[in-house]
Amino acid sequence: MKIVKGFRDILPYDTGNSDTSFAWTTTTDQLRQIMKTYNFQEIITPVIEHDSVFKTGIGEDTDIVSKEMYEFVLERDSSTVSKEKILKYCLRPEGTAPIIRSVIENSLSKIKSLNKLFYLGPMFRYERSQKGRYRMFHQIGAELIGSDEILYEVEILNLAKEILTSLNIDNYTFQINSIGNNESLKNISKAVSNFGRKNKDSIEEKDYKILNKNPLRFLDKAVHNYNFKDIPKTIDYLDKKSLKRFNDLTKILDSFNFKYSINNQLVRGIDYYNDLVFEVTSSNLGAQDALLAGGRYDSLMGKFGADESKSIGFAAGIERLILAMKSKNQASNSIDFFIVYQQEEMIEESLRLALRLREVGLSIEVDLLRRSFTKQIKSADKSLAENIIIIGKDNFNNGTIVVKNMASGIEEIVSLKNNIDFFLKKTKGTPNEKK
Ligand code: AMP
């Protein structure tokens, strides 16, 4: 039996092929904590949605929807329901459209005029799998729904940057651009269409079709897949209002000493964006170097038939964040104490002590295989225990045990009874932290 291609197990030990579950939970805990410092609240939506959420939200002819979505119908339905009524489901390929679906469906904008939401969970895209690119991957994303205030753009950009700095990621480039409001977007599309027509002979047929359907998506392809020198730059086609927004934003970013570079050909492959778009890439990653991306999407609610609500957000790939991190949190699956006993008759006493110590939140291992003392010590060594507790024959008879620190080798003899504080002090945490 084999795992599905492009999917991964997250293992308890480092086998060189995956992230460890320790790195995973430490990173995701840290990410949730960062969201809390910016007062973004978690929203958890299902992994399965109706395909229309993405077809309407992201756009039918985007790569994500037209090529990469895991779509399915229930086999049962195909024999019991008429063809037109068969429901089409999909595994979500991204987080924003479902969040907006949920905000509308649950009237969250009526509860709060400004919603600051974040999500963390798996996404699915049928892409060619390679290092850093999986068919099931995880994103953490933030969505700020209900304002087009530029200072909130600064907040979102700072939050994105905070994720990188908190995780100790350097070697990254923060690229920003504006694709402008509807008026500007029309101008850009016209310019790109003209450019494409002029260069028709150098453009592959499939890309030329995209040009006709969606010039902005062609622009994205032209930048990445062709060597044209004079591809239109979005900044040249922004109307006054959009240009002012972008200039105001960069001024504030400069005053906050926020380092970015402007890439006037950054557009993003999704239909719902307007004005600010941004992307972070890292040289710590290989070919798949995008760490995080986002932008403003004022028209998405309208596409779903609801009142428009000005919104901005971003998503970061968690696998790639872990890949790019300098120190990987891989080290420690360590435990506080490994209890070893000299004779089998002490096994129950060992278990009793383990229970008492676990009650106060300490992590404890006891070898219950009734193996020799030497073998137990070997297991304790391998377990990365900070300390071992030795229940020895001599000490046991007078109600004491030996606690040995594995790093320093120092041994202490302590009473077996009423000494919880001693054990708590031996480990770094206080009782509360441990619990
Ligand atoms: P996107 O939703 O395409 O803007 O992607 C946002 C972020 O998700 C990217 O910058 C990547 O870090 C991550 N990401 C996107 N696709 C994949 C994938 N197939 N495998 C792993 N990470 C991905």
Side-chain angles (χ1 to χ4, degrees), residues 64 93-95 125 127 132-139 268 270 273 279-280 285 288-294 315-321:
I64 292 185
E94 63 102 54
R125 292 183 198 171
E127 293 186 90
R133 185 160 74 187
Y134 313 104
R135 291 181 177 174
M136 172 175 159
F137 59 98
H138 296 72
Q139 287 184 336
R268 317 270 305 107
I270 294 176
Y273 288 119
E279 189 166 281
V280 176
L285 300 171
Q288 295 305 312
D289 63 353
L291 266 179
L292 175 162
I318 297 178
E319 286 80 358
R320 291 197 196 162
L321 289 175

PDB file of all heavy atoms in Angstrom, residues 64 93-95 125 127 132-139 268 270 273 279-280 285 288-294 315-321, ligand 1:
ATOM      1  N   ILE A  64      -5.656  27.179 -11.467  1.00  0.00           N
ATOM      2  CA  ILE A  64      -6.126  26.464 -10.269  1.00  0.00           C
ATOM      3  C   ILE A  64      -7.443  25.763 -10.554  1.00  0.00           C
ATOM      4  O   ILE A  64      -7.606  24.586 -10.239  1.00  0.00           O
ATOM      5  CB  ILE A  64      -6.297  27.437  -9.073  1.00  0.00           C
ATOM      6  CG1 ILE A  64      -4.937  27.964  -8.613  1.00  0.00           C
ATOM      7  CG2 ILE A  64      -7.002  26.755  -7.909  1.00  0.00           C
ATOM      8  CD1 ILE A  64      -4.986  28.820  -7.377  1.00  0.00           C
ATOM      9  N   PRO A  93      -8.863  24.258  -3.152  1.00  0.00           N
ATOM     10  CA  PRO A  93      -7.492  24.516  -3.597  1.00  0.00           C
ATOM     11  C   PRO A  93      -6.878  25.755  -2.944  1.00  0.00           C
ATOM     12  O   PRO A  93      -5.678  25.980  -3.053  1.00  0.00           O
ATOM     13  CB  PRO A  93      -7.660  24.757  -5.101  1.00  0.00           C
ATOM     14  CG  PRO A  93      -9.045  25.301  -5.231  1.00  0.00           C
ATOM     15  CD  PRO A  93      -9.865  24.752  -4.112  1.00  0.00           C
ATOM     16  N   GLU A  94      -7.698  26.556  -2.285  1.00  0.00           N
ATOM     17  CA  GLU A  94      -7.193  27.776  -1.621  1.00  0.00           C
ATOM     18  C   GLU A  94      -8.187  28.215  -0.555  1.00  0.00           C
ATOM     19  O   GLU A  94      -9.295  27.664  -0.470  1.00  0.00           O
ATOM     20  CB  GLU A  94      -6.931  28.886  -2.654  1.00  0.00           C
ATOM     21  CG  GLU A  94      -8.163  29.367  -3.386  1.00  0.00           C
ATOM     22  CD  GLU A  94      -8.690  30.679  -2.863  1.00  0.00           C
ATOM     23  OE1 GLU A  94      -7.928  31.649  -2.789  1.00  0.00           O
ATOM     24  OE2 GLU A  94      -9.892  30.749  -2.528  1.00  0.00           O
ATOM     25  N   GLY A  95      -7.777  29.182   0.265  1.00  0.00           N
ATOM     26  CA  GLY A  95      -8.577  29.499   1.449  1.00  0.00           C
ATOM     27  C   GLY A  95      -9.504  30.704   1.347  1.00  0.00           C
ATOM     28  O   GLY A  95     -10.506  30.780   2.057  1.00  0.00           O
ATOM     29  N   ARG A 125      -4.112  20.755  -4.685  1.00  0.00           N
ATOM     30  CA  ARG A 125      -4.004  21.156  -6.096  1.00  0.00           C
ATOM     31  C   ARG A 125      -3.281  20.060  -6.854  1.00  0.00           C
ATOM     32  O   ARG A 125      -2.228  19.589  -6.416  1.00  0.00           O
ATOM     33  CB  ARG A 125      -3.189  22.460  -6.245  1.00  0.00           C
ATOM     34  CG  ARG A 125      -3.894  23.659  -5.673  1.00  0.00           C
ATOM     35  CD  ARG A 125      -3.097  24.935  -5.900  1.00  0.00           C
ATOM     36  NE  ARG A 125      -3.564  25.970  -4.991  1.00  0.00           N
ATOM     37  CZ  ARG A 125      -2.973  27.134  -4.807  1.00  0.00           C
ATOM     38  NH1 ARG A 125      -1.871  27.435  -5.487  1.00  0.00           N
ATOM     39  NH2 ARG A 125      -3.468  28.020  -3.953  1.00  0.00           N
ATOM     40  N   GLU A 127      -0.958  19.464  -9.052  1.00  0.00           N
ATOM     41  CA  GLU A 127       0.172  20.067  -9.765  1.00  0.00           C
ATOM     42  C   GLU A 127       1.259  19.016  -9.913  1.00  0.00           C
ATOM     43  O   GLU A 127       1.212  17.982  -9.250  1.00  0.00           O
ATOM     44  CB  GLU A 127       0.745  21.231  -8.950  1.00  0.00           C
ATOM     45  CG  GLU A 127      -0.178  22.404  -8.824  1.00  0.00           C
ATOM     46  CD  GLU A 127       0.498  23.572  -8.140  1.00  0.00           C
ATOM     47  OE1 GLU A 127       1.099  24.389  -8.841  1.00  0.00           O
ATOM     48  OE2 GLU A 127       0.429  23.657  -6.901  1.00  0.00           O
ATOM     49  N   GLY A 132       9.028  21.016  -2.369  1.00  0.00           N
ATOM     50  CA  GLY A 132       8.332  22.255  -2.031  1.00  0.00           C
ATOM     51  C   GLY A 132       7.002  22.426  -2.737  1.00  0.00           C
ATOM     52  O   GLY A 132       6.311  23.414  -2.520  1.00  0.00           O
ATOM     53  N   ARG A 133       6.655  21.476  -3.625  1.00  0.00           N
ATOM     54  CA  ARG A 133       5.347  21.573  -4.277  1.00  0.00           C
ATOM     55  C   ARG A 133       4.634  20.232  -4.149  1.00  0.00           C
ATOM     56  O   ARG A 133       5.111  19.220  -4.646  1.00  0.00           O
ATOM     57  CB  ARG A 133       5.488  21.957  -5.744  1.00  0.00           C
ATOM     58  CG  ARG A 133       4.111  22.170  -6.376  1.00  0.00           C
ATOM     59  CD  ARG A 133       4.168  22.988  -7.633  1.00  0.00           C
ATOM     60  NE  ARG A 133       4.711  22.199  -8.705  1.00  0.00           N
ATOM     61  CZ  ARG A 133       5.006  22.696  -9.906  1.00  0.00           C
ATOM     62  NH1 ARG A 133       4.845  23.983 -10.146  1.00  0.00           N
ATOM     63  NH2 ARG A 133       5.488  21.933 -10.855  1.00  0.00           N
ATOM     64  N   TYR A 134       3.531  20.263  -3.438  1.00  0.00           N
ATOM     65  CA  TYR A 134       2.806  19.037  -3.127  1.00  0.00           C
ATOM     66  C   TYR A 134       1.364  19.171  -3.598  1.00  0.00           C
ATOM     67  O   TYR A 134       0.888  20.266  -3.843  1.00  0.00           O
ATOM     68  CB  TYR A 134       2.862  18.765  -1.609  1.00  0.00           C
ATOM     69  CG  TYR A 134       4.260  18.913  -1.075  1.00  0.00           C
ATOM     70  CD1 TYR A 134       4.640  20.048  -0.353  1.00  0.00           C
ATOM     71  CD2 TYR A 134       5.221  17.954  -1.375  1.00  0.00           C
ATOM     72  CE1 TYR A 134       5.946  20.210   0.075  1.00  0.00           C
ATOM     73  CE2 TYR A 134       6.529  18.113  -0.947  1.00  0.00           C
ATOM     74  CZ  TYR A 134       6.894  19.237  -0.224  1.00  0.00           C
ATOM     75  OH  TYR A 134       8.186  19.409   0.183  1.00  0.00           O
ATOM     76  N   ARG A 135       0.699  18.023  -3.701  1.00  0.00           N
ATOM     77  CA  ARG A 135      -0.703  18.078  -4.121  1.00  0.00           C
ATOM     78  C   ARG A 135      -1.615  18.317  -2.931  1.00  0.00           C
ATOM     79  O   ARG A 135      -2.719  18.817  -3.078  1.00  0.00           O
ATOM     80  CB  ARG A 135      -1.045  16.789  -4.872  1.00  0.00           C
ATOM     81  CG  ARG A 135      -0.306  16.764  -6.202  1.00  0.00           C
ATOM     82  CD  ARG A 135      -0.591  15.539  -7.014  1.00  0.00           C
ATOM     83  NE  ARG A 135       0.096  15.645  -8.296  1.00  0.00           N
ATOM     84  CZ  ARG A 135       0.148  14.686  -9.200  1.00  0.00           C
ATOM     85  NH1 ARG A 135      -0.445  13.521  -8.969  1.00  0.00           N
ATOM     86  NH2 ARG A 135       0.778  14.869 -10.335  1.00  0.00           N
ATOM     87  N   MET A 136      -1.146  17.931  -1.754  1.00  0.00           N
ATOM     88  CA  MET A 136      -1.815  18.395  -0.530  1.00  0.00           C
ATOM     89  C   MET A 136      -0.763  19.192   0.238  1.00  0.00           C
ATOM     90  O   MET A 136       0.304  18.680   0.531  1.00  0.00           O
ATOM     91  CB  MET A 136      -2.285  17.215   0.325  1.00  0.00           C
ATOM     92  CG  MET A 136      -2.794  17.647   1.681  1.00  0.00           C
ATOM     93  SD  MET A 136      -3.472  16.254   2.619  1.00  0.00           S
ATOM     94  CE  MET A 136      -3.371  16.910   4.272  1.00  0.00           C
ATOM     95  N   PHE A 137      -1.059  20.452   0.484  1.00  0.00           N
ATOM     96  CA  PHE A 137      -0.131  21.285   1.240  1.00  0.00           C
ATOM     97  C   PHE A 137      -0.964  22.117   2.214  1.00  0.00           C
ATOM     98  O   PHE A 137      -2.192  22.037   2.204  1.00  0.00           O
ATOM     99  CB  PHE A 137       0.701  22.167   0.295  1.00  0.00           C
ATOM    100  CG  PHE A 137      -0.129  23.082  -0.556  1.00  0.00           C
ATOM    101  CD1 PHE A 137      -0.337  24.419  -0.200  1.00  0.00           C
ATOM    102  CD2 PHE A 137      -0.743  22.609  -1.715  1.00  0.00           C
ATOM    103  CE1 PHE A 137      -1.118  25.259  -0.976  1.00  0.00           C
ATOM    104  CE2 PHE A 137      -1.541  23.453  -2.500  1.00  0.00           C
ATOM    105  CZ  PHE A 137      -1.722  24.771  -2.128  1.00  0.00           C
ATOM    106  N   HIS A 138      -0.297  22.865   3.054  1.00  0.00           N
ATOM    107  CA  HIS A 138      -1.027  23.621   4.082  1.00  0.00           C
ATOM    108  C   HIS A 138      -0.749  25.106   3.953  1.00  0.00           C
ATOM    109  O   HIS A 138       0.368  25.500   3.645  1.00  0.00           O
ATOM    110  CB  HIS A 138      -0.632  23.140   5.475  1.00  0.00           C
ATOM    111  CG  HIS A 138      -1.006  21.721   5.745  1.00  0.00           C
ATOM    112  ND1 HIS A 138      -0.347  20.667   5.157  1.00  0.00           N
ATOM    113  CD2 HIS A 138      -1.983  21.195   6.518  1.00  0.00           C
ATOM    114  CE1 HIS A 138      -0.908  19.538   5.553  1.00  0.00           C
ATOM    115  NE2 HIS A 138      -1.894  19.825   6.380  1.00  0.00           N
ATOM    116  N   GLN A 139      -1.763  25.872   4.184  1.00  0.00           N
ATOM    117  CA  GLN A 139      -1.561  27.330   4.167  1.00  0.00           C
ATOM    118  C   GLN A 139      -2.039  27.936   5.476  1.00  0.00           C
ATOM    119  O   GLN A 139      -3.016  27.467   6.073  1.00  0.00           O
ATOM    120  CB  GLN A 139      -2.363  27.968   3.033  1.00  0.00           C
ATOM    121  CG  GLN A 139      -1.795  27.717   1.651  1.00  0.00           C
ATOM    122  CD  GLN A 139      -2.569  28.456   0.571  1.00  0.00           C
ATOM    123  OE1 GLN A 139      -3.734  28.785   0.745  1.00  0.00           O
ATOM    124  NE2 GLN A 139      -1.916  28.715  -0.545  1.00  0.00           N
ATOM    125  N   ARG A 268      -0.261  38.046 -10.290  1.00  0.00           N
ATOM    126  CA  ARG A 268      -0.912  36.934  -9.597  1.00  0.00           C
ATOM    127  C   ARG A 268      -1.947  36.266 -10.508  1.00  0.00           C
ATOM    128  O   ARG A 268      -2.663  36.924 -11.248  1.00  0.00           O
ATOM    129  CB  ARG A 268      -1.613  37.362  -8.297  1.00  0.00           C
ATOM    130  CG  ARG A 268      -0.832  38.323  -7.439  1.00  0.00           C
ATOM    131  CD  ARG A 268       0.050  37.662  -6.428  1.00  0.00           C
ATOM    132  NE  ARG A 268      -0.687  36.746  -5.570  1.00  0.00           N
ATOM    133  CZ  ARG A 268      -0.584  35.430  -5.661  1.00  0.00           C
ATOM    134  NH1 ARG A 268       0.196  34.878  -6.531  1.00  0.00           N
ATOM    135  NH2 ARG A 268      -1.269  34.667  -4.854  1.00  0.00           N
ATOM    136  N   ILE A 270      -4.847  34.871 -10.152  1.00  0.00           N
ATOM    137  CA  ILE A 270      -6.227  34.686  -9.692  1.00  0.00           C
ATOM    138  C   ILE A 270      -7.028  35.941 -10.067  1.00  0.00           C
ATOM    139  O   ILE A 270      -6.508  37.046 -10.004  1.00  0.00           O
ATOM    140  CB  ILE A 270      -6.227  34.443  -8.155  1.00  0.00           C
ATOM    141  CG1 ILE A 270      -5.533  33.105  -7.857  1.00  0.00           C
ATOM    142  CG2 ILE A 270      -7.626  34.456  -7.580  1.00  0.00           C
ATOM    143  CD1 ILE A 270      -5.374  32.773  -6.395  1.00  0.00           C
ATOM    144  N   TYR A 273      -8.216  39.861  -7.692  1.00  0.00           N
ATOM    145  CA  TYR A 273      -7.415  40.943  -7.098  1.00  0.00           C
ATOM    146  C   TYR A 273      -7.627  42.306  -7.749  1.00  0.00           C
ATOM    147  O   TYR A 273      -7.989  42.409  -8.915  1.00  0.00           O
ATOM    148  CB  TYR A 273      -5.925  40.605  -7.177  1.00  0.00           C
ATOM    149  CG  TYR A 273      -5.514  39.510  -6.228  1.00  0.00           C
ATOM    150  CD1 TYR A 273      -4.979  38.312  -6.692  1.00  0.00           C
ATOM    151  CD2 TYR A 273      -5.652  39.667  -4.858  1.00  0.00           C
ATOM    152  CE1 TYR A 273      -4.603  37.307  -5.822  1.00  0.00           C
ATOM    153  CE2 TYR A 273      -5.279  38.664  -3.985  1.00  0.00           C
ATOM    154  CZ  TYR A 273      -4.760  37.487  -4.474  1.00  0.00           C
ATOM    155  OH  TYR A 273      -4.396  36.496  -3.605  1.00  0.00           O
ATOM    156  N   GLU A 279       4.031  39.501  -3.157  1.00  0.00           N
ATOM    157  CA  GLU A 279       4.533  38.131  -3.133  1.00  0.00           C
ATOM    158  C   GLU A 279       5.896  38.123  -2.453  1.00  0.00           C
ATOM    159  O   GLU A 279       6.684  39.035  -2.639  1.00  0.00           O
ATOM    160  CB  GLU A 279       4.665  37.628  -4.577  1.00  0.00           C
ATOM    161  CG  GLU A 279       4.978  36.160  -4.681  1.00  0.00           C
ATOM    162  CD  GLU A 279       4.756  35.639  -6.102  1.00  0.00           C
ATOM    163  OE1 GLU A 279       3.595  35.390  -6.467  1.00  0.00           O
ATOM    164  OE2 GLU A 279       5.752  35.511  -6.831  1.00  0.00           O
ATOM    165  N   VAL A 280       6.143  37.093  -1.656  1.00  0.00           N
ATOM    166  CA  VAL A 280       7.456  36.953  -1.027  1.00  0.00           C
ATOM    167  C   VAL A 280       8.115  35.699  -1.582  1.00  0.00           C
ATOM    168  O   VAL A 280       7.507  34.633  -1.591  1.00  0.00           O
ATOM    169  CB  VAL A 280       7.330  36.826   0.507  1.00  0.00           C
ATOM    170  CG1 VAL A 280       8.691  36.588   1.145  1.00  0.00           C
ATOM    171  CG2 VAL A 280       6.675  38.062   1.092  1.00  0.00           C
ATOM    172  N   LEU A 285      14.783  28.538  -0.811  1.00  0.00           N
ATOM    173  CA  LEU A 285      14.012  27.461  -1.416  1.00  0.00           C
ATOM    174  C   LEU A 285      14.587  27.171  -2.797  1.00  0.00           C
ATOM    175  O   LEU A 285      15.354  27.950  -3.342  1.00  0.00           O
ATOM    176  CB  LEU A 285      12.541  27.879  -1.546  1.00  0.00           C
ATOM    177  CG  LEU A 285      11.829  28.228  -0.226  1.00  0.00           C
ATOM    178  CD1 LEU A 285      10.465  28.830  -0.505  1.00  0.00           C
ATOM    179  CD2 LEU A 285      11.690  26.996   0.646  1.00  0.00           C
ATOM    180  N   GLN A 288      10.755  26.127  -6.460  1.00  0.00           N
ATOM    181  CA  GLN A 288       9.467  26.600  -5.932  1.00  0.00           C
ATOM    182  C   GLN A 288       9.759  27.619  -4.840  1.00  0.00           C
ATOM    183  O   GLN A 288       9.758  27.297  -3.657  1.00  0.00           O
ATOM    184  CB  GLN A 288       8.658  25.411  -5.380  1.00  0.00           C
ATOM    185  CG  GLN A 288       8.257  24.425  -6.445  1.00  0.00           C
ATOM    186  CD  GLN A 288       7.487  25.094  -7.572  1.00  0.00           C
ATOM    187  OE1 GLN A 288       6.565  25.859  -7.340  1.00  0.00           O
ATOM    188  NE2 GLN A 288       7.882  24.820  -8.803  1.00  0.00           N
ATOM    189  N   ASP A 289      10.020  28.856  -5.247  1.00  0.00           N
ATOM    190  CA  ASP A 289      10.563  29.805  -4.281  1.00  0.00           C
ATOM    191  C   ASP A 289       9.525  30.747  -3.665  1.00  0.00           C
ATOM    192  O   ASP A 289       9.861  31.599  -2.857  1.00  0.00           O
ATOM    193  CB  ASP A 289      11.710  30.611  -4.914  1.00  0.00           C
ATOM    194  CG  ASP A 289      11.233  31.453  -6.094  1.00  0.00           C
ATOM    195  OD1 ASP A 289      10.055  31.299  -6.496  1.00  0.00           O
ATOM    196  OD2 ASP A 289      12.031  32.257  -6.600  1.00  0.00           O
ATOM    197  N   ALA A 290       8.239  30.591  -4.031  1.00  0.00           N
ATOM    198  CA  ALA A 290       7.228  31.490  -3.450  1.00  0.00           C
ATOM    199  C   ALA A 290       6.849  31.036  -2.055  1.00  0.00           C
ATOM    200  O   ALA A 290       6.499  29.881  -1.833  1.00  0.00           O
ATOM    201  CB  ALA A 290       5.997  31.513  -4.343  1.00  0.00           C
ATOM    202  N   LEU A 291       6.964  31.964  -1.102  1.00  0.00           N
ATOM    203  CA  LEU A 291       6.667  31.633   0.294  1.00  0.00           C
ATOM    204  C   LEU A 291       5.275  32.083   0.683  1.00  0.00           C
ATOM    205  O   LEU A 291       4.592  31.435   1.465  1.00  0.00           O
ATOM    206  CB  LEU A 291       7.633  32.414   1.198  1.00  0.00           C
ATOM    207  CG  LEU A 291       8.914  31.777   1.673  1.00  0.00           C
ATOM    208  CD1 LEU A 291       9.681  32.780   2.516  1.00  0.00           C
ATOM    209  CD2 LEU A 291       8.626  30.524   2.478  1.00  0.00           C
ATOM    210  N   LEU A 292       4.885  33.205   0.128  1.00  0.00           N
ATOM    211  CA  LEU A 292       3.690  33.867   0.626  1.00  0.00           C
ATOM    212  C   LEU A 292       3.182  34.834  -0.432  1.00  0.00           C
ATOM    213  O   LEU A 292       3.987  35.408  -1.164  1.00  0.00           O
ATOM    214  CB  LEU A 292       4.157  34.605   1.876  1.00  0.00           C
ATOM    215  CG  LEU A 292       3.374  35.534   2.721  1.00  0.00           C
ATOM    216  CD1 LEU A 292       4.067  35.663   4.056  1.00  0.00           C
ATOM    217  CD2 LEU A 292       3.147  36.873   2.112  1.00  0.00           C
ATOM    218  N   ALA A 293       1.879  34.970  -0.548  1.00  0.00           N
ATOM    219  CA  ALA A 293       1.374  35.877  -1.581  1.00  0.00           C
ATOM    220  C   ALA A 293      -0.012  36.380  -1.205  1.00  0.00           C
ATOM    221  O   ALA A 293      -0.750  35.712  -0.477  1.00  0.00           O
ATOM    222  CB  ALA A 293       1.305  35.153  -2.917  1.00  0.00           C
ATOM    223  N   GLY A 294      -0.358  37.549  -1.715  1.00  0.00           N
ATOM    224  CA  GLY A 294      -1.683  38.064  -1.392  1.00  0.00           C
ATOM    225  C   GLY A 294      -2.003  39.333  -2.131  1.00  0.00           C
ATOM    226  O   GLY A 294      -1.293  39.736  -3.062  1.00  0.00           O
ATOM    227  N   ALA A 315      -1.779  34.453   1.848  1.00  0.00           N
ATOM    228  CA  ALA A 315      -1.603  33.083   2.331  1.00  0.00           C
ATOM    229  C   ALA A 315      -0.141  32.698   2.212  1.00  0.00           C
ATOM    230  O   ALA A 315       0.541  33.097   1.264  1.00  0.00           O
ATOM    231  CB  ALA A 315      -2.451  32.121   1.498  1.00  0.00           C
ATOM    232  N   ALA A 316       0.326  31.930   3.187  1.00  0.00           N
ATOM    233  CA  ALA A 316       1.704  31.429   3.157  1.00  0.00           C
ATOM    234  C   ALA A 316       1.661  29.911   3.195  1.00  0.00           C
ATOM    235  O   ALA A 316       0.805  29.323   3.853  1.00  0.00           O
ATOM    236  CB  ALA A 316       2.482  31.958   4.366  1.00  0.00           C
ATOM    237  N   GLY A 317       2.567  29.278   2.474  1.00  0.00           N
ATOM    238  CA  GLY A 317       2.633  27.817   2.478  1.00  0.00           C
ATOM    239  C   GLY A 317       3.452  27.339   3.674  1.00  0.00           C
ATOM    240  O   GLY A 317       4.618  27.722   3.823  1.00  0.00           O
ATOM    241  N   ILE A 318       2.838  26.509   4.513  1.00  0.00           N
ATOM    242  CA  ILE A 318       3.525  26.111   5.752  1.00  0.00           C
ATOM    243  C   ILE A 318       4.714  25.185   5.459  1.00  0.00           C
ATOM    244  O   ILE A 318       5.783  25.341   6.064  1.00  0.00           O
ATOM    245  CB  ILE A 318       2.529  25.475   6.735  1.00  0.00           C
ATOM    246  CG1 ILE A 318       1.490  26.536   7.112  1.00  0.00           C
ATOM    247  CG2 ILE A 318       3.237  24.963   7.989  1.00  0.00           C
ATOM    248  CD1 ILE A 318       0.413  26.063   8.028  1.00  0.00           C
ATOM    249  N   GLU A 319       4.556  24.257   4.507  1.00  0.00           N
ATOM    250  CA  GLU A 319       5.690  23.377   4.169  1.00  0.00           C
ATOM    251  C   GLU A 319       6.888  24.224   3.733  1.00  0.00           C
ATOM    252  O   GLU A 319       8.028  23.949   4.096  1.00  0.00           O
ATOM    253  CB  GLU A 319       5.325  22.420   3.031  1.00  0.00           C
ATOM    254  CG  GLU A 319       4.395  21.274   3.405  1.00  0.00           C
ATOM    255  CD  GLU A 319       2.931  21.681   3.467  1.00  0.00           C
ATOM    256  OE1 GLU A 319       2.630  22.884   3.250  1.00  0.00           O
ATOM    257  OE2 GLU A 319       2.085  20.804   3.729  1.00  0.00           O
ATOM    258  N   ARG A 320       6.600  25.258   2.944  1.00  0.00           N
ATOM    259  CA  ARG A 320       7.714  26.093   2.446  1.00  0.00           C
ATOM    260  C   ARG A 320       8.290  26.961   3.556  1.00  0.00           C
ATOM    261  O   ARG A 320       9.488  27.229   3.578  1.00  0.00           O
ATOM    262  CB  ARG A 320       7.247  26.953   1.279  1.00  0.00           C
ATOM    263  CG  ARG A 320       6.960  26.084   0.078  1.00  0.00           C
ATOM    264  CD  ARG A 320       6.889  26.858  -1.193  1.00  0.00           C
ATOM    265  NE  ARG A 320       6.244  26.035  -2.212  1.00  0.00           N
ATOM    266  CZ  ARG A 320       5.729  26.497  -3.320  1.00  0.00           C
ATOM    267  NH1 ARG A 320       5.771  27.804  -3.569  1.00  0.00           N
ATOM    268  NH2 ARG A 320       5.171  25.682  -4.190  1.00  0.00           N
ATOM    269  N   LEU A 321       7.454  27.418   4.486  1.00  0.00           N
ATOM    270  CA  LEU A 321       7.991  28.191   5.620  1.00  0.00           C
ATOM    271  C   LEU A 321       8.976  27.309   6.384  1.00  0.00           C
ATOM    272  O   LEU A 321      10.083  27.740   6.727  1.00  0.00           O
ATOM    273  CB  LEU A 321       6.865  28.639   6.561  1.00  0.00           C
ATOM    274  CG  LEU A 321       5.913  29.728   6.051  1.00  0.00           C
ATOM    275  CD1 LEU A 321       4.790  29.962   7.053  1.00  0.00           C
ATOM    276  CD2 LEU A 321       6.655  31.047   5.792  1.00  0.00           C
TER     277      LEU A 321
HETATM  278  P1  AMP B   1      -1.204  30.879  -3.805  1.00  0.00           P
HETATM  279  O1  AMP B   1      -2.500  30.501  -3.153  1.00  0.00           O
HETATM  280  O2  AMP B   1      -0.970  30.154  -5.103  1.00  0.00           O
HETATM  281  O3  AMP B   1      -1.002  32.345  -3.891  1.00  0.00           O
HETATM  282  O4  AMP B   1      -0.058  30.330  -2.855  1.00  0.00           O
HETATM  283  C1  AMP B   1       0.284  30.914  -1.635  1.00  0.00           C
HETATM  284  C2  AMP B   1       1.430  30.142  -1.046  1.00  0.00           C
HETATM  285  O5  AMP B   1       1.051  28.767  -0.845  1.00  0.00           O
HETATM  286  C3  AMP B   1       2.638  30.039  -1.972  1.00  0.00           C
HETATM  287  O6  AMP B   1       3.430  31.182  -1.845  1.00  0.00           O
HETATM  288  C4  AMP B   1       3.312  28.788  -1.471  1.00  0.00           C
HETATM  289  O7  AMP B   1       4.084  29.065  -0.316  1.00  0.00           O
HETATM  290  C5  AMP B   1       2.157  27.922  -1.057  1.00  0.00           C
HETATM  291  N1  AMP B   1       1.824  26.933  -2.110  1.00  0.00           N
HETATM  292  C6  AMP B   1       1.056  27.112  -3.200  1.00  0.00           C
HETATM  293  N2  AMP B   1       0.966  25.977  -3.922  1.00  0.00           N
HETATM  294  C7  AMP B   1       1.690  25.041  -3.257  1.00  0.00           C
HETATM  295  C8  AMP B   1       1.981  23.652  -3.469  1.00  0.00           C
HETATM  296  N3  AMP B   1       1.485  22.988  -4.509  1.00  0.00           N
HETATM  297  N4  AMP B   1       2.765  23.013  -2.566  1.00  0.00           N
HETATM  298  C9  AMP B   1       3.262  23.666  -1.493  1.00  0.00           C
HETATM  299  N5  AMP B   1       3.016  24.964  -1.235  1.00  0.00           N
HETATM  300  C10 AMP B   1       2.240  25.649  -2.093  1.00  0.00           C
END
